[in-house]
Amino acid sequence: MEVPVSVPRPHLSLSRILEMNLGFLGLQFSFGLQQGNMGPIYSYLGASEGALPLLQLAGPMTGLLVQPLIGALSDRTGSKWGRRTPYFLAGALLCALGLLFMPLASSLLMAASLLWLLDAGNNITMEPYRAYVADRLDPGQRQFGFLTQSAFTGLAQMLAYLTPSLLVMAGMDRDWVDPHGIPYTVRVVFWAGAALSLGTIVWSVLRVPELPLGDADRARIAAAPKGFGAALTEIGAAIREMPIAMRKLGLMSLFQWFAFWGYWTYVTYVVARNVYGTADPASGGFHEAVLTNGQMAAFYNLVAFVAAFAMVPLVRRIGPGPVHALCLMAGGAGMLALPLVTAKAALFVPMLGIGLAWGSTMGNPYAILSNSIPPERTGVYMGIFNMMIVLPMLGFSVLMSSLDLGFVTFGFGMYEKLLAGDPRNLLSLCGACLIAAGFAVLWVREGRAPAALASPGMLHS
């Protein structure tokens, strides 16, 4: 029996919701590996700290270019495998190839090229996965579906960050590196990530397949123009007709993702200076800082994993907007405190706030968004929403970084000019931005629970 995506979806059990989001575990394991290791990999290969944001440009650029396009294309796909599944599988394969070859990089150019491949695969998979949840779950289960993705994000990134430390505890030498300075622990964890990313996504699409399209949906897809040109036209039209709630989320995203991108890029360098007294990527102290950052990130992702489920009743009571605002402010306080910490054990206290912010970020904004956009445009709007994520990252990279290619210099170099080349100053700026994002999300009235939106007179009318 065909079930149109425009009618109520079947109510899914907890186990089915977990299975359909299992692929997010592998996808976010890959993102965790990037966040924790790409900066150090570039440093091992000779990059300066000021050049790091531009070398990381593959993430925001592929997100900007790939996700809206894949979203629009998947909305218009009517293959026998489903609307989203072909993109899941193609992206997972590219991601696995990127993870396999990244730890073998022998130059900055090779590492940067592989990051473009890896990020393209991640982004091809990411946007349809968001749309898949909105397609597959009825509105009453969507908040739980997106918070489940948030929980898997926390679990996956916790494992990605923690695995190198576990390998060292099991006997691998922290300072055992290949001829290019990349530790062998990186090679093992990236190869494990390739298997996990591909395996979990295949499991999800086989265990919880997409709903078959109904006649009306098939007719709409058949009548819609095809190809990249039509997809670009659809993106433009969707931007012009963007729902008000989504427009308001743009300001929040600007501050939120500027802060997270800066944190991920430079937190290892803060730990290296404050706790281990070094800025030398070849030193044992820097290797230890990378492992310590992995332990910190594992802890805040554990907090995010637990918080994603714990905040469900609070979200139902007051809505995802106020909950997200509170969590972002807690994360901002954590980022402001971190540059002041000089003892390893104390590093984990600010991670409580950062974990709350991260757990909320991966669920609550999507809960607001999914109920404010038309179902037939879920894919394209999820892709456009990702533009609101990657544009702040792109802005951060261009403003903060400077990369001299000999014949031309990219970026404004504000990391050196404005922040004195000190990652601690950068992290303080990120904390202020995350608090600003918390205030911005309070402007999004659509994120309140219905009772919170109504006036006392309305409640009694």
Side-chain angles (χ1 to χ4, degrees):
M1 177 181 177
E2 290 187 337
V3 183
V5 296
S6 55
V7 301
R9 287 76 163 167
H11 188 87
L12 293 187
S13 66
L14 171 62
S15 63
R16 286 297 188 195
I17 294 176
L18 292 175
E19 280 191 298
M20 72 179 292
N21 283 307
L22 186 63
F24 223 70
L25 181 78
L27 180 63
Q28 292 297 333
F29 191 93
S30 171
F31 274 115
L33 292 178
Q34 289 176 243
Q35 291 165 10
N37 293 279
M38 283 313 304
I41 285 173
Y42 283 138
S43 293
Y44 300 143
L45 294 172
S48 68
E49 286 184 15
L52 292 177
L54 281 175
L55 289 169
Q56 303 264 32
L57 206 56
M61 284 300 294
T62 54
L64 180 64
L65 299 173
V66 171
Q67 286 211 28
L69 188 60
I70 293 298
L73 289 171
S74 70
D75 281 344
R76 295 162 183 256
T77 297
S79 75
K80 64 180 180 180
W81 297 286
R83 292 202 293 175
R84 320 296 180 187
T85 300
Y87 302 97
F88 292 165
L89 298 179
L93 184 59
L94 290 177
C95 176
L97 290 173
L99 290 171
L100 282 173
F101 288 103
M102 181 63 76
L104 305 178
S106 58
S107 66
L108 282 174
L109 178 60
M110 182 177 177
S113 300
L114 286 168
L115 185 59
W116 280 85
L117 175 68
L118 176 56
D119 270 319
N122 280 333
N123 281 289
I124 288 170
T125 304
M126 173 70 80
E127 187 285 327
Y129 223 121
R130 296 289 193 191
Y132 168 55
V133 171
D135 290 345
R136 199 66 172 80
L137 298 178
D138 65 60
Q141 290 191 301
R142 283 180 191 162
Q143 283 187 353
F144 183 73
F146 285 118
L147 286 172
T148 300
Q149 286 193 348
S150 177
F152 273 128
T153 297
L155 178 61
Q157 296 197 8
M158 178 184 71
L159 294 173
Y161 277 109
L162 192 58
T163 301
S165 291
L166 295 177
L167 292 173
V168 171
M169 290 171 61
M172 284 192 73
D173 185 354
R174 176 195 71 184
D175 300 320
W176 181 29
V177 299
D178 69 13
H180 309 291
I182 299 175
Y184 281 97
T185 52
V186 173
R187 185 174 298 188
V188 173
V189 75
F190 268 65
W191 288 354
L196 186 66
S197 180
L198 186 59
T200 56
I201 289 171
V202 170
W203 178 272
S204 286
V205 298
L206 290 178
R207 293 290 295 168
V208 190
E210 296 184 65
L211 295 174
L213 294 172
D215 292 338
D217 292 296
R218 291 185 187 280
R220 177 180 55 78
I221 291 172
K226 302 294 189 295
F228 288 101
L232 291 173
T233 300
E234 169 64 9
I235 292 169
I239 291 173
R240 291 192 299 272
E241 299 161 16
M242 189 184 300
I244 293 174
M246 187 172 177
R247 293 181 185 275
K248 290 179 178 179
L249 287 171
L251 183 62
M252 174 210 73
S253 291
L254 173 64
F255 290 115
Q256 174 180 281
W257 290 105
F258 186 98
F260 276 121
W261 193 243
Y263 174 85
W264 291 328
T265 302
Y266 283 106
V267 63
T268 297
Y269 301 86
V270 172
V271 174
R273 282 170 169 80
N274 275 9
V275 179
Y276 299 103
T278 184
D280 179 9
S283 67
F286 187 84
H287 292 161
E288 191 62 33
V290 174
L291 294 176
T292 298
N293 177 52
Q295 295 158 19
M296 293 159 54
F299 181 68
Y300 85 64
N301 277 286
L302 175 61
V303 172
F305 174 74
V306 175
F309 290 113
M311 65 179 70
V312 170
L314 188 58
V315 165
R316 287 174 179 164
R317 183 175 179 83
I318 66 174
V323 171
H324 189 47
L326 291 171
C327 290
L328 288 178
M329 291 176 188
M335 288 187 188
L336 286 173
L338 199 57
L340 307 175
V341 177
T342 57
K344 178 178 177 179
L347 291 170
F348 294 87
V349 178
M351 297 303 105
L352 292 169
I354 293 172
L356 286 174
W358 183 232
S360 180
T361 294
M362 295 307 293
N364 284 318
Y366 295 96
I368 300 171
L369 179 66
S370 65
N371 289 324
S372 67
I373 56 179
E376 67 275 9
R377 277 182 158 177
T378 297
V380 69
Y381 274 125
M382 288 292 181
I384 291 171
F385 190 59
N386 189 68
M387 293 172 66
M388 297 180 183
I389 295 173
V390 299
L391 283 173
M393 296 178 179
L394 183 61
F396 176 92
S397 298
V398 173
L399 285 173
M400 292 298 160
S401 192
S402 179
L403 184 61
D404 188 357
L405 298 180
F407 59 93
V408 65
T409 300
F410 288 103
F412 291 93
M414 291 297 109
Y415 178 72
E416 298 288 348
K417 297 175 183 176
L418 184 65
L419 302 174
D422 193 329
R424 291 165 288 203
N425 296 333
L426 189 281
L427 222 60
S428 296
L429 174 62
C430 291
C433 286
L434 209 56
I435 291 173
F439 282 109
V441 78
L442 291 175
W443 181 44
V444 187
R445 302 289 297 178
E446 293 82 355
R448 308 292 179 88
L453 283 171
S455 67
M458 291 171 64
L459 288 173
H460 292 92
S461 62

